[in-house]
Amino acid sequence: MKKEDEIKLISIFQETFKIEDHEYIKSLKRENYLKWDSLAVVSIIASISNSFSIEIDPNDFEFFISYELIRSYIEKKIY
């Protein structure tokens, strides 16, 4: 992933979860972070769709369970 895209994704997580630590963000998983609820998922999906100008199919929502899976998903969609 390009550096500027990584920065955009980290910014989305910072805004959604109010976390500043980039390394911590990169290790986030829905299963071990209580604030990662269904509303957070909707917020992340909307922000990613808008920031990266991609359409996200509802069938792909299953990928929105960790920073790394989301990062991989975006890479596949834009590169």
Side-chain angles (χ1 to χ4, degrees):
M1 177 175 271
K2 293 179 183 174
K3 185 73 171 169
E4 62 266 17
D5 290 334
E6 183 95 34
I7 290 168
K8 276 199 278 189
L9 182 56
I10 288 173
S11 294
I12 289 168
F13 273 77
Q14 286 176 320
E15 176 135 346
T16 302
F17 297 120
K18 308 300 183 227
I19 299 170
E20 291 300 319
D21 185 342
H22 292 197
E23 292 308 311
Y24 182 68
I25 287 172
K26 291 178 181 180
S27 70
L28 277 180
K29 295 180 181 175
R30 186 174 183 175
E31 66 192 33
N32 62 9
Y33 192 67
L34 293 176
K35 293 182 181 179
W36 194 323
D37 57 14
S38 57
L39 290 175
V41 172
V42 170
S43 177
I44 291 169
I45 289 169
S47 295
I48 288 171
S49 180
N50 187 43
S51 294
F52 291 93
S53 299
I54 58 175
E55 189 171 323
I56 300 170
D57 188 299
N59 293 325
D60 294 339
F61 290 1
E62 66 189 66
F63 296 107
F64 289 76
I65 59 170
S66 75
Y67 176 88
E68 275 304 315
L69 276 176
I70 293 170
R71 185 179 184 278
S72 294
Y73 177 84
I74 292 169
E75 284 181 320
K76 289 176 186 165
K77 291 289 263 187
I78 64 174
Y79 297 117

